[in-house]
């Protein structure tokens, strides 16, 4: 008990733990009190078990300090289709509601053609729960998502929302539960789970429509 108390006192009065080792049945602890100053304290250990106990105690304190420093780091910023400036501008954009209950706001209206039903489209998306937490994103995967629009390959709200977009456009889709995931969605670790028939939000950008550009050129 006295040895452990001494080690705790050492950590609070001398500085930060640097190294520790066993020498002649004594635990030698070197502690840095500054960048250039180092002090040592020798603690008696009567047995191997005492040494191991002290070693684990000190190493645990050292690791704990590293974890505390890591916890103070800001969270990694995830790539988005709508940044802070975009979010503010979006507040003044009128919302459009369709007969199905789908709602959307155009972040940017595209200049290219709209995709015909059954055509492949290449899109980027950031999928969120209503709180704004991201549960899926093509931006994080680093590649566009290609699917046949209007063919039931994606959820109904995404199908409908992209059919009226133009190439180059960006849109925020507010997708109600019936047009989202009726059976719910189990996301990757650390991502929010999508409950069955719960509303979701998709920020989408229509990058291009493979094959449509060739038809236009002809």
């Amino acid at each position: 008990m006295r040895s452990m108390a001494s080690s705790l006192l050492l950590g609070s009065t001398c500085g930060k733990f640097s190294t520790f080792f066993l020498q002649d049945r004594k635990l030698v602890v070197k502690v840095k009190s500054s960048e250039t100053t180092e002090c040592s304290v020798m603690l008696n250990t009567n047995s191997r078990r005492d040494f191991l106990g002290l070693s684990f105690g000190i190493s645990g304190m050292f690791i704990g300090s590293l974890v505390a420093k890591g916890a103070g780091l800001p969270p990694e910023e995830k790539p988005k289709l709508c940044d802070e400036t975009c979010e503010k501008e979006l507040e003044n954009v009128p919302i459009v509601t369709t007969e199905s209950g789908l709602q959307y706001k155009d972040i940017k209206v595209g200049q290219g053609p709209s995709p015909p039903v059954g055509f492949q489209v290449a899109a980027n998306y950031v999928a969120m729960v209503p709180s704004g937490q991201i549960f899926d994103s093509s931006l994080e995967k680093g590649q566009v998502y290609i699917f046949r629009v209007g063919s039931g390959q994606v959820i109904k709200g995404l199908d409908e929302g992209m059919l009226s977009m133009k190439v180059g456009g960006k849109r925020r889709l507010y997708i109600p539960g019936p047009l989202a995931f009726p059976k719910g969605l189990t996301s990757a670790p650390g991502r929010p789970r999508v409950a069955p028939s719960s509303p979701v939000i998709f920020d989408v950008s229509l990058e291009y429509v493979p094959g449509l550009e060739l038809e236009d050129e002809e």
Side-chain angles (χ1 to χ4, degrees):
M1 293 294 291
R2 182 176 298 177
S3 296
M4 182 58 72
S6 299
S7 67
L8 291 174
L9 180 63
L10 172 69
S12 61
T13 59
C14 188
K16 299 179 181 179
F17 291 111
S18 176
T19 58
F20 57 91
F21 55 90
L22 187 64
Q23 177 180 307
D24 297 330
R25 300 185 67 80
K26 293 182 179 181
L27 180 67
V28 179
V29 183
K30 289 192 174 184
V31 182
K32 275 193 175 184
S33 58
S34 68
E35 291 299 323
T36 57
T37 305
E38 185 176 77
C39 56
S40 300
V41 174
M42 192 172 291
L43 304 175
N44 291 325
T45 54
N46 297 322
S47 67
R48 176 181 174 83
R49 186 170 67 178
D50 291 341
F51 171 70
L52 290 175
L54 284 168
S55 300
F56 283 124
I58 293 172
S59 61
M61 294 174 69
F62 177 70
I63 293 172
S65 66
L66 290 179
V67 172
K69 288 181 180 180
L73 293 175
E76 183 180 356
E77 189 68 23
K78 294 182 174 61
K80 298 179 180 179
L81 287 172
C82 188
D83 57 18
E84 291 184 7
T85 302
C86 165
E87 292 286 356
K88 291 180 181 179
E89 294 175 349
L90 210 56
E91 293 177 2
N92 300 318
V93 176
I95 193 165
V96 178
T97 303
T98 69
E99 292 183 3
S100 68
L102 174 70
Q103 294 182 317
Y104 66 83
K105 287 185 176 184
D106 280 314
I107 298 171
K108 174 186 176 183
V109 178
Q111 300 296 321
S114 294
V117 174
F119 265 63
Q120 283 190 329
V121 295
N124 272 310
Y125 68 89
V126 176
M128 300 167 281
V129 293
S131 66
Q133 290 181 290
I134 298 173
F135 64 86
D136 196 9
S137 170
S138 67
L139 296 181
E140 292 181 35
K141 297 171 184 176
Q143 58 183 16
V144 294
Y145 182 55
I146 297 178
F147 65 97
R148 292 191 181 278
V149 69
S151 300
Q153 293 185 350
V154 295
I155 58 175
K156 294 179 180 178
L158 185 56
D159 249 347
E160 180 185 345
M162 297 208 67
L163 276 170
S164 58
M165 291 182 68
K166 295 182 178 181
V167 173
K170 294 182 182 180
R171 178 175 286 182
R172 172 162 294 177
L173 303 172
Y174 302 91
I175 304 175
L179 303 181
F181 300 93
K183 296 182 180 180
L185 184 66
T186 302
S187 303
R191 300 302 177 103
R193 176 180 174 273
V194 179
S197 296
S198 63
V200 293
I201 298 172
F202 270 70
D203 283 352
V204 293
S205 63
L206 181 54
E207 303 296 333
Y208 58 92
V209 181
L212 195 60
E213 297 91 341
L214 296 177
E215 289 186 5
D216 291 343
E217 290 177 2
E218 294 175 357

